Amino acid sequence: MRRNNQLIIIFSVLVVLWSSCSDFLEQPIQGKQVLENYFANEDECLKALSGCYASLSPEDWWENDLFYLVGDICSDDAFKGNSLEGDQRDFGELARFNITPQNEWIQYKWQYAYEQIYRCNLVIKNVPDAPVSDDFKMRVIAEAQFLRAFAYFELVKNFGDVPLLLEPLTVNDPKQERVSASLIWTQIEQDLKDASGALPERSEQGASDIGRATKGAALAYLVKAYVYQEKWNEAEPLAKQIVETGEYNLNDPFTMVWSIHNPNGNGSLFEIQTVFDNVLDAGTVLPVFTRSRADGGWGFATPSSHLDNFMEGDPRRNATIIKHGDYVDEDYPDYDTQLSENETGRINRKYWIAWNDRPSQSEHTRTPLNHILFRYADLLLLHAEAAWHNNNESEAIASVNLVRQRVGLAGISSTGEQLLMDIYMERRMELALEGHRYYDLKRQKGIRYPNSSRLKEVMEDFVAYNLGANDDYDAGNAKGELFDENVHLLFPIPQAEIDLSDGTLTQNKGY
């Protein structure tokens, strides 16, 4: 009887507790943050916008930062670098053009570009109804439009035709098909035009806004969009318009362009902002990823001897490449690239950080080196290229010579096809190891094969050099042998995305 009484008491208590819990669980959740009650003030609008910027460089080191190096390793400028076969294998497969739709780096690029687009679409859709001033709305929406254009720029130059999303998708929306690259370019142009009309010039920004999108950045990307589409008549005057604002210059010495002590320098149009923080991973992985394994790095994306030979005698070489045995500074008088695990015996100098400037902990996620995505010298050389195509050789020469004069080189005076080659060579020299080479080569027309991408002849020459005359550390490396112009001007659509779409997404040719 006593045991039965105990059970009755326990059961009664449980019933009471369950009834209380049930009543509690049926109460509406107080203070729940959902889209319907977000964007309620300026702070929330800015936090949503910060999410758009954050997608430029997600927190984990492997996610998006490193894809910016693909423009180097898929060209004659760099190799995978780290010679350990199993270390970042898919990165090496990209460098060798042994690329499949399952490549994880391809997946990351697609995934985070669309994450950024989704976040931008949320801002563009919701901020107009926020209880904030019209001027504030215009600025925030313009920045989101700029960042959406940037994401689509990255997608179209890597994948060609892609889905065009201008509203935030939900799980109930139909599967999205790819649209033609021309429609993506049209949207990029529109977003950049709209953004440029509302964004401030760099000189109009307050100190706390430095690093945010500007009118000059939006117009500069519009110039680049025109160049990629060979809209020379639009590209040349717009580039000239930016130059004539006087907002940007080449006053920073070349050796300071990538210095950790010169963020947002005089020639910076747009760069990913970083900062050292003891708690947050708000830095960049690039210095660690590209540094020698003997110097605490991981040894990836190493410069080729082909690039080193090309730059021989140019003042920019020592600020671009460190070769095994080079003097760097007092701490590194005889640099060790750890030849046993380095394909080329070289590293990228632009991302290299001096010993005293390195974070003491979590260096691979907290190094405060801003990542420059677009700089003034790039714009000048795009202007030169467009001017050449418009038969305006004097303008082309003037822009090239501004870049050369910054490093103390004599001006050029070539004409005709040689002038175009000089522009191309200046782009390689000035922008080496900044992620542009592959994309430049595939959009440029060949000299030997005028009906083909210039990438075809460059990769042929690169393979011939490595398997022939090359007697340097990277001699005998057949990188580039697998390059096929009919396939590798675009990357594959990630297979995981095709599967998620139930086949609505189609694959690029050759994959």
Side-chain angles (χ1 to χ4, degrees):
M1 178 66 70
R2 183 179 180 185
R3 177 175 174 81
N4 288 339
N5 288 338
Q6 287 176 330
L7 289 174
I8 291 171
I9 292 170
I10 292 172
F11 180 74
S12 299
V13 171
L14 288 174
V15 169
V16 172
L17 289 175
W18 176 256
S19 176
S20 299
C21 290
S22 178
D23 292 343
F24 171 76
L25 290 172
E26 290 173 0
Q27 297 300 312
I29 299 173
Q30 301 298 313
K32 182 181 178 182
Q33 188 74 73
V34 295
L35 280 177
E36 286 74 14
N37 61 26
Y38 203 70
F39 297 96
N41 51 55
E42 288 190 359
D43 183 59
E44 290 183 350
C45 293
L46 287 176
K47 285 179 179 177
L49 182 61
S50 293
C52 303
Y53 280 99
S55 293
L56 292 168
S57 178
E59 190 169 322
D60 284 340
W61 65 267
W62 45 267
E63 288 176 334
N64 206 23
D65 269 5
L66 306 185
F67 200 90
Y68 293 115
L69 303 175
V70 167
D72 302 319
I73 66 168
C74 287
S75 78
D76 52 346
D77 276 2
F79 289 77
K80 173 202 172 190
N82 181 326
S83 57
L84 301 178
E85 183 62 28
D87 197 350
Q88 299 303 323
R89 184 185 300 274
D90 279 358
F91 190 67
E93 300 292 25
L94 282 170
R96 290 187 285 273
F97 293 101
N98 186 27
I99 307 168
T100 70
Q102 290 78 23
N103 189 293
E104 65 176 342
W105 296 86
I106 300 298
Q107 174 65 39
Y108 299 150
K109 188 61 181 178
W110 180 283
Q111 174 182 335
Y112 287 102
Y114 276 108
E115 174 191 84
Q116 184 172 38
I117 289 166
Y118 174 76
R119 292 176 175 182
C120 291
N121 285 341
L122 284 176
V123 170
I124 293 167
K125 179 179 181 179
N126 289 284
V127 168
D129 296 326
V132 295
S133 72
D134 289 342
D135 287 346
F136 182 84
K137 289 179 184 180
M138 287 178 58
R139 170 196 150 192
V140 171
I141 292 170
E143 289 185 50
Q145 288 171 324
F146 169 82
L147 292 168
R148 184 170 68 180
F150 176 88
Y152 274 120
F153 199 117
E154 290 293 298
L155 285 167
V156 73
K157 77 177 186 180
N158 283 294
F159 301 105
D161 301 348
V162 295
L164 179 61
L165 312 178
L166 301 178
E167 293 278 341
L169 284 186
T170 70
V171 293
N172 298 319
D173 286 313
K175 308 296 185 183
Q176 301 297 304
E177 297 181 349
R178 301 168 71 187
V179 304
S180 69
S182 63
L183 289 178
I184 301 297
W185 284 118
T186 297
Q187 184 60 47
I188 290 170
E189 290 179 16
Q190 190 60 57
D191 273 348
L192 292 172
K193 289 175 182 176
D194 290 344
S196 68
L199 290 172
E201 292 284 12
R202 174 173 161 152
S203 61
E204 297 170 343
Q205 287 183 313
S208 63
D209 289 331
I210 296 297
R212 290 186 175 276
T214 63
K215 181 184 184 73
L219 293 178
Y221 271 103
L222 184 55
V223 169
K224 187 165 282 193
Y226 287 149
V227 168
Y228 269 66
Q229 300 172 84
E230 299 184 341
K231 294 184 175 181
W232 309 115
N233 289 332
E234 291 89 344
E236 182 190 355
L238 184 56
K240 186 73 170 179
Q241 174 186 324
I242 302 169
V243 170
E244 290 177 344
T245 65
E247 289 285 327
Y248 309 95
N249 59 63
L250 300 177
N251 292 345
D252 294 333
F254 188 82
T255 54
M256 288 297 294
V257 169
W258 281 92
S259 171
I260 198 170
H261 301 292
N262 186 39
N264 306 297
N266 288 302
S268 173
L269 285 115
F270 187 60
E271 57 190 65
I272 298 174
Q273 304 297 300
T274 64
V275 65
F276 173 77
D277 189 279
N278 279 316
V279 177
L280 301 176
D281 294 337
T284 178
V285 68
L286 291 176
V288 173
F289 191 76
T290 57
R291 203 166 63 227
S292 165
R293 294 177 70 83
D295 187 17
W298 301 339
F300 289 100
T302 59
S304 66
S305 62
H306 191 279
L307 174 64
D308 203 353
N309 294 338
F310 173 78
M311 298 191 76
E312 185 176 0
D314 191 283
R316 290 164 287 196
R317 184 270 174 199
N318 290 347
T320 303
I321 297 171
I322 298 174
K323 184 178 180 180
H324 187 76
D326 276 357
Y327 176 90
V328 182
D329 61 17
E330 292 182 355
D331 292 317
Y332 295 92
D334 185 15
Y335 198 81
D336 181 6
T337 62
Q338 195 152 326
L339 293 174
S340 62
E341 298 178 1
N342 185 312
E343 287 186 289
T344 70
R346 294 165 173 82
I347 68 163
N348 185 337
R349 179 67 175 85
K350 290 179 177 178
Y351 299 145
W352 188 83
I353 304 295
W355 177 263
N356 290 335
D357 292 324
R358 298 175 189 176
S360 59
Q361 60 181 0
S362 301
E363 184 188 357
H364 70 289
T365 54
R366 298 181 183 176
T367 299
L369 176 69
N370 282 6
H371 184 186
I372 307 171
L373 298 176
F374 205 144
R375 54 191 183 90
Y376 186 53
D378 186 354
L379 177 71
L380 287 171
L381 294 172
L382 291 174
H383 172 256
E385 194 173 340
W388 184 90
H389 282 282
N390 290 335
N391 297 313
N392 195 350
E393 292 192 347
S394 61
E395 284 286 314
I397 290 170
S399 285
V400 172
N401 285 343
L402 282 174
V403 176
R404 292 175 60 83
Q405 288 162 10
R406 193 249 294 269
V407 294
L409 291 172
I412 62 170
S413 58
S414 50
T415 60
E417 190 173 274
Q418 183 56 52
L419 174 56
L420 181 61
M421 285 304 302
D422 287 343
I423 295 169
Y424 288 166
M425 289 189 290
E426 199 63 32
R427 281 193 67 81
R428 187 185 189 192
M429 196 80 72
E430 175 74 19
L431 304 173
L433 306 180
E434 296 182 23
H436 301 291
R437 178 72 169 164
Y438 165 72
Y439 301 104
D440 278 346
L441 290 173
K442 72 173 190 169
R443 69 172 175 78
Q444 294 165 352
K445 293 291 188 295
I447 304 301
R448 198 159 64 240
Y449 307 119
N451 294 322
S452 295
S453 159
R454 189 162 162 252
L455 185 59
K456 176 182 179 180
E457 61 196 52
V458 166
M459 294 312 297
E460 284 182 358
D461 293 344
F462 186 55
V463 172
Y465 162 77
N466 285 324
L467 300 182
N470 185 1
D471 60 357
D472 211 306
Y473 298 119
D474 49 2
N477 193 315
K479 165 187 150 68
E481 268 193 332
L482 298 178
F483 173 76
D484 182 345
E485 184 191 25
N486 295 316
V487 177
H488 296 127
L489 297 184
L490 293 173
F491 293 124
I493 305 301
Q495 188 60 46
E497 301 297 331
I498 293 177
D499 294 342
L500 286 171
S501 76
D502 296 326
T504 301
L505 291 177
T506 57
Q507 187 54 270
N508 278 328
K509 182 175 65 174
Y511 291 106

